[in-house]
Amino acid sequence: MITFKDYYQNNVKLSFTKNPFSKQPKHVWVITKYKHQWLLTKHKDRGLEFPGGKVEEGEKAEDAAEREVYEETGGIISNLKYIGQYFVDGKGGEVIKNVYYAEVDQLIKQPTYFETDGPVLLDTLPEDIQESSLFSFMMKDAVLPQSLKVIKKMEANSLR
């Protein structure tokens, strides 16, 4: 388990075991790739971020992850993998969020991307995300770099 402060100085616990904080989290965040590029979305208020959002009533977290990717980017997921889960003890309450890694094999243009301006493809993620005003606060704590380490190991293992 990794503990740290997020962008807003809330206490965060991050674990890469299966559902350490809740079997039914209320939020998801999906680190996505499309044809060897990072697939992000541009949130109208927060900036560039990976897709994610709330799990709707009666919905499984995995289904929410697929829905959010589709709604915010038009992406059709071909492979979804659970990465971990984190718990934020925030000033406005507690948040438990599953983190997934998804490979997208198709982007379908949407008439609306809801609260986002749609898909953004990047060849690489910049080293200075924490200092960049282009990126959402969600990209600026330890969840992303720690999750990327897990993804890198998963990808290396799949090549064996």
Side-chain angles (χ1 to χ4, degrees):
M1 178 135 7
I2 300 164
T3 59
F4 57 91
K5 300 264 189 200
D6 70 7
Y7 181 78
Y8 292 110
Q9 298 304 303
N10 296 308
N11 292 316
V12 180
K13 296 177 189 172
L14 171 64
S15 174
F16 296 108
T17 60
K18 188 70 173 169
N19 300 327
F21 308 112
S22 175
K23 289 186 182 354
Q24 298 174 322
K26 301 291 185 217
H27 298 85
V28 295
W29 195 49
V30 191
I31 300 170
T32 47
K33 269 199 165 172
Y34 172 70
K35 295 186 178 180
H36 307 291
Q37 290 182 299
W38 296 106
L39 173 61
L40 292 87
T41 189
K42 184 172 186 265
H43 190 278
K44 292 178 180 176
D45 297 324
R46 297 189 298 251
L48 297 175
E49 61 188 25
F50 285 110
K54 292 182 180 167
V55 177
E56 294 178 356
E57 190 70 33
E59 188 177 41
K60 293 180 184 175
E62 293 82 5
D63 295 332
E66 290 188 15
R67 177 183 50 76
E68 289 289 348
V69 169
Y70 182 74
E71 287 179 355
E72 295 182 3
T73 69
I76 304 294
I77 292 175
S78 60
N79 192 2
L80 181 71
K81 296 177 183 169
Y82 174 87
I83 298 295
Q85 189 176 74
Y86 65 101
F87 173 91
V88 181
D89 187 7
K91 294 162 185 66
E94 298 175 345
V95 174
I96 298 173
K97 190 177 290 195
N98 276 8
V99 180
Y100 296 94
Y101 173 58
E103 296 167 355
V104 170
D105 65 357
Q106 188 177 6
L107 286 180
I108 298 173
K109 184 155 178 53
Q110 300 299 302
T112 177
Y113 293 97
F114 294 84
E115 69 274 5
T116 78
D117 291 330
V120 175
L121 293 168
L122 298 177
D123 290 328
T124 59
L125 295 173
E127 297 286 325
D128 65 344
I129 283 179
Q130 285 74 18
E131 289 82 41
S132 175
S133 62
L134 297 176
F135 289 88
S136 164
F137 73 91
M138 293 174 57
M139 304 283 285
K140 296 183 179 186
D141 61 30
V143 174
L144 179 59
Q146 294 296 327
S147 296
L148 290 173
K149 287 179 186 177
V150 172
I151 292 167
K152 191 172 184 178
K153 285 180 189 174
M154 287 170 57
E155 288 178 335
N157 289 337
S158 71
L159 294 174
R160 292 181 188 165

Short mmCIF file of all heavy atoms in Angstrom, two decimals, residues 17-46:
data_model
loop_
_atom_site.label_atom_id
_atom_site.label_comp_id
_atom_site.label_asym_id
_atom_site.label_seq_id
_atom_site.Cartn_x
_atom_site.Cartn_y
_atom_site.Cartn_z
N THR A 17 -3.82 -4.40 -5.00
CA THR A 17 -4.50 -5.67 -4.76
C THR A 17 -5.97 -5.48 -5.17
O THR A 17 -6.42 -4.36 -5.38
CB THR A 17 -4.41 -6.09 -3.28
OG1 THR A 17 -5.02 -5.08 -2.47
CG2 THR A 17 -2.96 -6.28 -2.85
N LYS A 18 -6.70 -6.57 -5.27
CA LYS A 18 -8.08 -6.51 -5.75
C LYS A 18 -9.02 -5.97 -4.67
O LYS A 18 -9.15 -6.56 -3.60
CB LYS A 18 -8.53 -7.91 -6.20
CG LYS A 18 -9.87 -7.94 -6.88
CD LYS A 18 -9.83 -7.28 -8.25
CE LYS A 18 -11.15 -7.49 -8.96
NZ LYS A 18 -11.28 -6.70 -10.14
N ASN A 19 -9.62 -4.85 -4.94
CA ASN A 19 -10.67 -4.24 -4.12
C ASN A 19 -10.36 -4.17 -2.62
O ASN A 19 -11.14 -4.65 -1.80
CB ASN A 19 -11.99 -4.98 -4.33
CG ASN A 19 -12.45 -4.96 -5.77
OD1 ASN A 19 -12.21 -3.99 -6.49
ND2 ASN A 19 -13.09 -6.02 -6.20
N PRO A 20 -9.25 -3.53 -2.23
CA PRO A 20 -8.91 -3.48 -0.80
C PRO A 20 -9.81 -2.56 0.03
O PRO A 20 -9.92 -2.73 1.23
CB PRO A 20 -7.48 -2.95 -0.81
CG PRO A 20 -7.41 -2.12 -2.06
CD PRO A 20 -8.27 -2.86 -3.06
N PHE A 21 -10.47 -1.60 -0.62
CA PHE A 21 -11.29 -0.64 0.11
C PHE A 21 -12.78 -0.84 -0.09
O PHE A 21 -13.58 -0.49 0.77
CB PHE A 21 -10.89 0.79 -0.28
CG PHE A 21 -9.42 1.05 -0.16
CD1 PHE A 21 -8.65 1.26 -1.30
CD2 PHE A 21 -8.77 1.02 1.07
CE1 PHE A 21 -7.28 1.48 -1.21
CE2 PHE A 21 -7.41 1.22 1.17
CZ PHE A 21 -6.66 1.45 0.02
N SER A 22 -13.17 -1.40 -1.24
CA SER A 22 -14.58 -1.64 -1.52
C SER A 22 -14.73 -2.60 -2.70
O SER A 22 -14.01 -2.48 -3.68
CB SER A 22 -15.30 -0.33 -1.85
OG SER A 22 -16.63 -0.57 -2.23
N LYS A 23 -15.69 -3.51 -2.58
CA LYS A 23 -16.02 -4.40 -3.71
C LYS A 23 -16.90 -3.67 -4.72
O LYS A 23 -17.07 -4.12 -5.85
CB LYS A 23 -16.70 -5.66 -3.21
CG LYS A 23 -15.77 -6.60 -2.47
CD LYS A 23 -16.50 -7.89 -2.14
CE LYS A 23 -15.80 -8.92 -1.39
NZ LYS A 23 -14.58 -9.07 -0.97
N GLN A 24 -17.50 -2.57 -4.29
CA GLN A 24 -18.37 -1.79 -5.16
C GLN A 24 -18.00 -0.31 -5.10
O GLN A 24 -18.72 0.51 -4.52
CB GLN A 24 -19.83 -1.99 -4.76
CG GLN A 24 -20.27 -3.43 -4.92
CD GLN A 24 -21.67 -3.67 -4.40
OE1 GLN A 24 -22.08 -3.11 -3.39
NE2 GLN A 24 -22.40 -4.51 -5.10
N PRO A 25 -16.86 0.04 -5.73
CA PRO A 25 -16.44 1.45 -5.71
C PRO A 25 -17.43 2.31 -6.50
O PRO A 25 -18.13 1.81 -7.38
CB PRO A 25 -15.08 1.41 -6.40
CG PRO A 25 -15.18 0.25 -7.33
CD PRO A 25 -15.99 -0.77 -6.58
N LYS A 26 -17.48 3.56 -6.17
CA LYS A 26 -18.42 4.48 -6.82
C LYS A 26 -17.79 5.27 -7.96
O LYS A 26 -18.47 6.06 -8.62
CB LYS A 26 -18.99 5.45 -5.78
CG LYS A 26 -19.70 4.77 -4.64
CD LYS A 26 -20.99 4.14 -5.09
CE LYS A 26 -21.75 3.57 -3.90
NZ LYS A 26 -22.41 2.34 -4.19
N HIS A 27 -16.47 5.08 -8.19
CA HIS A 27 -15.79 5.83 -9.24
C HIS A 27 -14.78 4.93 -9.96
O HIS A 27 -14.26 3.97 -9.38
CB HIS A 27 -15.04 7.03 -8.65
CG HIS A 27 -15.94 8.02 -7.99
ND1 HIS A 27 -16.36 7.90 -6.69
CD2 HIS A 27 -16.52 9.15 -8.47
CE1 HIS A 27 -17.15 8.91 -6.39
NE2 HIS A 27 -17.27 9.68 -7.45
N VAL A 28 -14.48 5.31 -11.22
CA VAL A 28 -13.47 4.60 -12.01
C VAL A 28 -12.59 5.61 -12.74
O VAL A 28 -13.01 6.74 -13.02
CB VAL A 28 -14.13 3.65 -13.05
CG1 VAL A 28 -14.90 2.54 -12.36
CG2 VAL A 28 -15.04 4.40 -14.02
N TRP A 29 -11.38 5.18 -13.03
CA TRP A 29 -10.43 5.97 -13.81
C TRP A 29 -9.72 5.00 -14.74
O TRP A 29 -9.26 3.94 -14.29
CB TRP A 29 -9.44 6.66 -12.88
CG TRP A 29 -8.66 7.76 -13.50
CD1 TRP A 29 -9.14 8.80 -14.25
CD2 TRP A 29 -7.25 7.97 -13.41
NE1 TRP A 29 -8.12 9.64 -14.62
CE2 TRP A 29 -6.95 9.15 -14.12
CE3 TRP A 29 -6.21 7.28 -12.80
CZ2 TRP A 29 -5.66 9.64 -14.24
CZ3 TRP A 29 -4.93 7.78 -12.92
CH2 TRP A 29 -4.66 8.94 -13.62
N VAL A 30 -9.64 5.32 -16.03
CA VAL A 30 -9.16 4.37 -17.02
C VAL A 30 -7.98 4.94 -17.79
O VAL A 30 -8.13 5.90 -18.56
CB VAL A 30 -10.28 3.96 -18.00
CG1 VAL A 30 -9.82 2.78 -18.85
CG2 VAL A 30 -11.57 3.62 -17.27
N ILE A 31 -6.81 4.36 -17.59
CA ILE A 31 -5.61 4.74 -18.33
C ILE A 31 -5.69 4.01 -19.67
O ILE A 31 -5.72 2.79 -19.70
CB ILE A 31 -4.34 4.38 -17.54
CG1 ILE A 31 -4.35 5.12 -16.19
CG2 ILE A 31 -3.09 4.69 -18.35
CD1 ILE A 31 -3.29 4.66 -15.22
N THR A 32 -5.79 4.77 -20.75
CA THR A 32 -6.12 4.18 -22.04
C THR A 32 -5.04 4.41 -23.10
O THR A 32 -4.39 5.45 -23.12
CB THR A 32 -7.45 4.76 -22.57
OG1 THR A 32 -7.41 6.18 -22.44
CG2 THR A 32 -8.63 4.23 -21.81
N LYS A 33 -4.93 3.39 -23.96
CA LYS A 33 -4.05 3.47 -25.13
C LYS A 33 -4.84 3.09 -26.37
O LYS A 33 -5.68 2.19 -26.33
CB LYS A 33 -2.86 2.54 -24.98
CG LYS A 33 -1.66 3.18 -24.33
CD LYS A 33 -0.41 2.40 -24.63
CE LYS A 33 0.79 3.24 -24.28
NZ LYS A 33 2.01 2.47 -24.37
N TYR A 34 -4.53 3.79 -27.47
CA TYR A 34 -5.12 3.51 -28.76
C TYR A 34 -4.00 3.49 -29.79
O TYR A 34 -3.32 4.50 -29.99
CB TYR A 34 -6.15 4.60 -29.11
CG TYR A 34 -6.70 4.51 -30.51
CD1 TYR A 34 -7.55 3.49 -30.88
CD2 TYR A 34 -6.39 5.48 -31.45
CE1 TYR A 34 -8.07 3.41 -32.17
CE2 TYR A 34 -6.90 5.42 -32.74
CZ TYR A 34 -7.74 4.38 -33.10
OH TYR A 34 -8.23 4.31 -34.37
N LYS A 35 -3.78 2.35 -30.39
CA LYS A 35 -2.73 2.19 -31.41
C LYS A 35 -1.39 2.78 -30.95
O LYS A 35 -0.80 3.62 -31.61
CB LYS A 35 -3.17 2.82 -32.73
CG LYS A 35 -4.36 2.12 -33.34
CD LYS A 35 -4.70 2.67 -34.70
CE LYS A 35 -5.87 1.91 -35.29
NZ LYS A 35 -6.26 2.38 -36.61
N HIS A 36 -0.93 2.37 -29.79
CA HIS A 36 0.37 2.76 -29.22
C HIS A 36 0.45 4.23 -28.80
O HIS A 36 1.53 4.74 -28.56
CB HIS A 36 1.52 2.40 -30.16
CG HIS A 36 1.51 0.97 -30.58
ND1 HIS A 36 1.79 -0.06 -29.71
CD2 HIS A 36 1.21 0.39 -31.77
CE1 HIS A 36 1.68 -1.21 -30.34
NE2 HIS A 36 1.32 -0.98 -31.59
N GLN A 37 -0.69 4.91 -28.75
CA GLN A 37 -0.72 6.29 -28.26
C GLN A 37 -1.59 6.33 -27.00
O GLN A 37 -2.52 5.53 -26.84
CB GLN A 37 -1.30 7.25 -29.30
CG GLN A 37 -0.42 7.47 -30.51
CD GLN A 37 -1.07 8.47 -31.45
OE1 GLN A 37 -2.15 8.26 -31.96
NE2 GLN A 37 -0.39 9.59 -31.66
N TRP A 38 -1.28 7.27 -26.13
CA TRP A 38 -2.10 7.48 -24.95
C TRP A 38 -3.38 8.18 -25.39
O TRP A 38 -3.33 9.17 -26.12
CB TRP A 38 -1.36 8.33 -23.91
CG TRP A 38 -0.14 7.66 -23.39
CD1 TRP A 38 1.16 7.96 -23.69
CD2 TRP A 38 -0.10 6.54 -22.50
NE1 TRP A 38 1.99 7.10 -23.03
CE2 TRP A 38 1.26 6.22 -22.29
CE3 TRP A 38 -1.07 5.78 -21.85
CZ2 TRP A 38 1.66 5.18 -21.48
CZ3 TRP A 38 -0.67 4.74 -21.03
CH2 TRP A 38 0.68 4.44 -20.85
N LEU A 39 -4.51 7.67 -24.93
CA LEU A 39 -5.81 8.25 -25.26
C LEU A 39 -6.36 8.96 -24.03
O LEU A 39 -6.71 8.31 -23.05
CB LEU A 39 -6.78 7.15 -25.73
CG LEU A 39 -8.24 7.55 -25.95
CD1 LEU A 39 -8.37 8.62 -27.03
CD2 LEU A 39 -9.08 6.32 -26.29
N LEU A 40 -6.39 10.26 -24.12
CA LEU A 40 -6.92 11.08 -23.03
C LEU A 40 -8.16 11.80 -23.54
O LEU A 40 -8.53 11.68 -24.71
CB LEU A 40 -5.89 12.12 -22.57
CG LEU A 40 -4.64 11.57 -21.88
CD1 LEU A 40 -3.57 11.22 -22.89
CD2 LEU A 40 -4.11 12.56 -20.90
N THR A 41 -8.78 12.55 -22.65
CA THR A 41 -9.90 13.40 -23.02
C THR A 41 -9.61 14.79 -22.47
O THR A 41 -8.84 14.94 -21.52
CB THR A 41 -11.23 12.83 -22.49
OG1 THR A 41 -12.31 13.58 -23.04
CG2 THR A 41 -11.30 12.85 -20.98
N LYS A 42 -10.20 15.79 -23.08
CA LYS A 42 -10.01 17.16 -22.59
C LYS A 42 -11.28 17.58 -21.85
O LYS A 42 -12.30 17.87 -22.46
CB LYS A 42 -9.73 18.13 -23.74
CG LYS A 42 -9.44 19.53 -23.25
CD LYS A 42 -8.98 20.44 -24.36
CE LYS A 42 -8.56 21.76 -23.80
NZ LYS A 42 -9.60 22.76 -23.84
N HIS A 43 -11.18 17.54 -20.53
CA HIS A 43 -12.30 17.98 -19.70
C HIS A 43 -12.44 19.49 -19.85
O HIS A 43 -11.44 20.21 -19.85
CB HIS A 43 -12.07 17.60 -18.24
CG HIS A 43 -13.25 17.81 -17.38
ND1 HIS A 43 -13.58 19.04 -16.86
CD2 HIS A 43 -14.22 16.95 -16.96
CE1 HIS A 43 -14.68 18.93 -16.14
NE2 HIS A 43 -15.10 17.66 -16.19
N LYS A 44 -13.67 19.96 -19.99
CA LYS A 44 -13.90 21.38 -20.27
C LYS A 44 -13.39 22.31 -19.18
O LYS A 44 -13.00 23.44 -19.47
CB LYS A 44 -15.38 21.62 -20.53
CG LYS A 44 -15.84 20.97 -21.83
CD LYS A 44 -17.31 21.16 -22.09
CE LYS A 44 -17.66 20.47 -23.41
NZ LYS A 44 -19.06 20.50 -23.71
N ASP A 45 -13.36 21.84 -17.93
CA ASP A 45 -12.88 22.69 -16.83
C ASP A 45 -11.50 22.30 -16.32
O ASP A 45 -10.71 23.17 -15.96
CB ASP A 45 -13.86 22.62 -15.65
CG ASP A 45 -15.23 23.15 -16.00
OD1 ASP A 45 -15.31 24.12 -16.79
OD2 ASP A 45 -16.24 22.59 -15.52
N ARG A 46 -11.20 21.00 -16.29
CA ARG A 46 -9.98 20.53 -15.63
C ARG A 46 -8.78 20.40 -16.55
O ARG A 46 -7.65 20.36 -16.07
CB ARG A 46 -10.25 19.19 -14.94
CG ARG A 46 -11.28 19.27 -13.84
CD ARG A 46 -11.38 18.00 -13.05
NE ARG A 46 -11.78 16.86 -13.83
CZ ARG A 46 -12.96 16.24 -13.75
NH1 ARG A 46 -13.87 16.71 -12.91
NH2 ARG A 46 -13.24 15.20 -14.48
#
